[in-house]
């Protein structure tokens, strides 16, 4: 194969890699003090060509005895609870269950999440008092209309499908959205060195594949692809000059 054709193929492969950089299911804000009442935005991207997200199943960590959810057009919600081994007292009441799962199902016609799109599912929660100093994982399974599923359940932030998470800090701290890994911050990570992007802006950036890691991957692929394309054009021009001289 001629050098010019090889260079063009390399460029095309690099550009394709940039286009296929995946967005992650993520939660914003992602750094919250223990005991705080806040609204979490679960950001769910669509990443299957020719298919749409049909169901979103989120497994909650322990300690969430009450979760309010927004009415998202086009989606129905089912709450699954689990019994507590020991009931807890809240506001003078004895509570014997906590939220185990929330399952969103697309009913249409609004709110359809297709390839290259995303949706936000707001949740009003109280962060458990005893969760300070550790990340809380919200393991999520996306089911698509073509029967395929994406399992965002891996505890490692470096995994291909890491579970979305929040980092719980000490009581009285600030609610922040820490830039970095798309799935969420590592335990103890703060926003001291991050730009002050709003949670909504961060949500959109993350859902569209705009997290730092995905941006870096896409940018690097574009640069490599551009350089390879220039090499290919140069090689093709040189070949044509040689053929003209022959």
């Amino acid at each position: 194969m001629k050098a010019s054709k090889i260079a063009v193929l390399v460029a095309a492969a690099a550009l394709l890699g940039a286009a296929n950089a995946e967005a992650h299911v993520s939660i914003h804000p992602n750094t919250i003090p223990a005991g705080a009442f806040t609204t979490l935005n679960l950001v769910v991207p669509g990443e299957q060509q020719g298919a749409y997200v049909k169901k979103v199943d989120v497994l909650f960590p322990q300690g969430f005895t009450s979760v309010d959810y927004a009415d998202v057009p086009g989606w129905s919600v089912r709450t699954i609870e689990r019994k507590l081994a020991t009931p807890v007292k809240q506001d003078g009441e004895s509570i014997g269950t906590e939220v185990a799962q929330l399952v969103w199902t697309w009913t249409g016609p609004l709110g359809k999440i297709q390839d290259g799109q995303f949706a936000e599912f707001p949740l009003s929660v109280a962060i458990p008092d005893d969760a300070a100093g550790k990340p809380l994982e919200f393991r999520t399974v996306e089911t698509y209309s073509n029967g395929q599923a994406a399992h965002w359940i891996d505890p490692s932030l470096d995994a291909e499908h890491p579970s979305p998470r929040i980092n719980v800090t000490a009581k009285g701290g600030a609610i922040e959205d820490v830039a970095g890994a798309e799935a969420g911050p590592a335990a103890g990570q703060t926003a001291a060195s991050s730009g002050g992007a709003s949670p909504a802006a961060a949500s959109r950036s993350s859902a569209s594949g705009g997290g730092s890691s995905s941006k870096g991957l896409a940018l690097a692929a574009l640069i490599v692809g551009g350089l390879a394309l220039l090499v290919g054009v140069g090689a093709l021009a040189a070949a044509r000059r040689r053929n003209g001289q022959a």
Side-chain angles (χ1 to χ4, degrees):
M1 184 179 292
K2 292 183 179 180
S4 58
K5 291 184 179 180
I6 294 175
V8 172
L9 288 175
V10 170
L15 292 173
L16 181 61
N20 288 338
E22 287 188 349
H24 292 8
V25 173
S26 57
I27 294 178
H28 305 272
N30 56 26
T31 303
I32 306 171
F37 289 87
T38 187
T39 298
L40 302 177
N41 281 310
L42 179 71
V43 181
V44 179
E47 296 181 324
Q48 289 281 340
Q49 291 186 358
Y52 58 88
V53 180
K54 183 178 179 180
K55 185 171 69 171
V56 179
D57 190 337
V58 179
L59 178 66
F60 277 68
Q62 294 182 342
F64 289 86
T65 56
S66 177
V67 176
D68 293 332
Y69 52 83
D71 182 12
V72 180
W75 293 83
S76 64
V77 186
R78 180 166 61 101
T79 301
I80 300 173
E81 297 183 333
R82 56 179 165 240
K83 289 186 177 181
L84 294 173
T86 303
V88 296
K89 290 285 186 179
Q90 288 186 354
D91 299 325
E93 297 183 6
S94 179
I95 299 177
T97 61
E98 65 180 8
V99 175
Q101 289 173 263
L102 282 184
V103 182
W104 285 268
T105 303
W106 187 72
T107 57
L110 301 176
K112 194 174 186 179
I113 311 173
Q114 302 183 89
D115 186 29
Q117 300 177 338
F118 73 92
E120 293 181 343
F121 298 89
L123 301 169
S124 178
V125 301
I127 304 302
D129 289 330
D130 60 353
K134 60 183 180 182
L136 295 180
E137 296 181 54
F138 293 78
R139 298 184 177 186
T140 301
V141 177
E142 280 184 279
T143 303
Y144 287 86
S145 58
N146 60 5
Q148 296 187 26
H151 296 79
W152 302 95
I153 61 175
D154 199 303
S156 172
L157 284 171
D158 297 324
E160 183 178 1
H161 292 89
S163 57
R165 70 201 64 200
I166 60 174
N167 180 31
V168 183
T169 55
K171 285 187 176 183
I175 296 176
E176 302 172 307
D177 207 50
V178 178
E182 273 190 285
Q189 186 177 356
T190 66
S193 59
S194 67
S198 67
S203 296
R204 284 161 176 75
S205 173
S206 178
S208 61
S212 297
S213 57
S214 291
K215 281 185 177 179
L217 177 62
L219 182 59
L222 285 172
I223 292 173
V224 171
L227 290 175
L229 186 59
L230 289 175
V231 170
V233 171
L236 183 60
R240 286 179 176 176
R241 286 198 299 268
R242 287 195 299 270
N243 290 337
Q245 293 172 358

